[in-house]
Amino acid sequence: MPHRHRLFFALRPSRIEANLTGLFRDTADSALTPVTNDRLHMTMGITGDFAAFPQDVAERMTAIGDGLAGDRFVLALDRLSGSERSIALRPSKRPPALSALQKQVDDLLRYWNLMRSGWSFNPHVTLGYRAGLSFLEPVTPLVWDVREIVLIHSLVGATRHVELGRWPLMRRQLDLFSG
């Protein structure tokens, strides 16, 4: 069966942060089909699915990535939520830098008519899939130091992500002198 192709911008944890998130995931629900540590991410903007790899869309999204600008920030994932089919970590508060970066991604994907129809930003990191009841509960925060945004090619159904681009977020010089 041929795979479908999807492109998306995402925030990904460092290897250490991914391992810590994975340890948390492994204690969250024994019936969970886990998202592997190397695929943990927060989607910032996503395309629809394509039957073949969309080279032209990948080139446009790379150009969009080249133009993104944002500040580094700390993201505290301090809520565990379950839906009928998945479990995710969520922030109770959106850092202003997260909102500003996501707005850029959203505006540009919509301008180029690349945003998946009906998609809207709902910040979360899916830990895995399961059948169960919905819930939302506070947890000890897992903290990610967000330093970059990544463009990912997802081979839908193959549980495989291929990184296509990576762009650093910069700390503004004035921030270096505060606090």
Side-chain angles (χ1 to χ4, degrees):
M1 177 178 192
H3 298 293
R4 311 254 328 139
H5 303 267
R6 174 182 306 162
L7 303 177
F8 61 92
F9 285 105
L11 305 179
R12 293 177 77 182
S14 71
R15 188 176 314 225
I16 291 170
E17 292 162 348
N19 289 341
L20 291 170
T21 304
L23 287 170
F24 178 85
R25 173 205 58 225
D26 294 344
T27 64
D29 186 329
S30 61
L32 203 61
T33 300
V35 171
T36 57
N37 291 4
D38 63 319
R39 290 180 39 247
L40 292 168
H41 68 276
M42 179 179 284
T43 301
M44 301 290 282
I46 191 166
T47 68
D49 293 351
F50 299 89
F53 179 73
Q55 185 64 40
D56 58 332
V57 173
E59 290 170 4
R60 171 58 54 200
M61 290 182 75
T62 299
I64 289 170
D66 289 343
L68 293 174
D71 296 328
R72 289 173 42 186
F73 60 94
V74 172
L75 179 63
L77 301 164
D78 59 356
R79 298 287 182 261
L80 184 65
S81 70
S83 69
E84 293 177 358
R85 62 186 238 8
S86 67
I87 291 181
L89 283 168
R90 300 178 181 280
S92 60
K93 296 180 183 167
R94 290 187 194 186
L98 171 65
S99 297
L101 181 61
Q102 198 284 321
K103 183 176 180 343
Q104 283 182 71
V105 170
D106 190 83
D107 288 349
L108 289 165
L109 290 182
R110 290 186 194 287
Y111 176 83
W112 291 104
N113 199 30
L114 296 174
M115 186 70 80
R116 172 187 297 264
S117 178
W119 189 85
S120 63
F121 183 56
N122 181 1
H124 69 279
V125 176
T126 301
L127 299 176
Y129 300 92
R130 54 82 159 151
L133 298 174
S134 297
F135 67 88
L136 179 64
E137 60 188 44
V139 295
T140 301
L142 280 161
V143 177
W144 289 6
D145 183 14
V146 180
R147 297 171 176 250
E148 59 194 1
I149 188 166
V150 182
L151 175 59
I152 296 173
H153 167 213
S154 175
L155 284 88
V156 180
T159 61
R160 185 166 163 231
H161 288 171
V162 178
E163 188 176 300
L164 300 179
R166 179 180 290 259
W167 296 271
L169 301 173
M170 303 296 188
R171 176 169 293 170
R172 293 182 186 173
Q173 283 192 352
L174 290 177
D175 290 347
L176 295 176
F177 298 105
S178 64

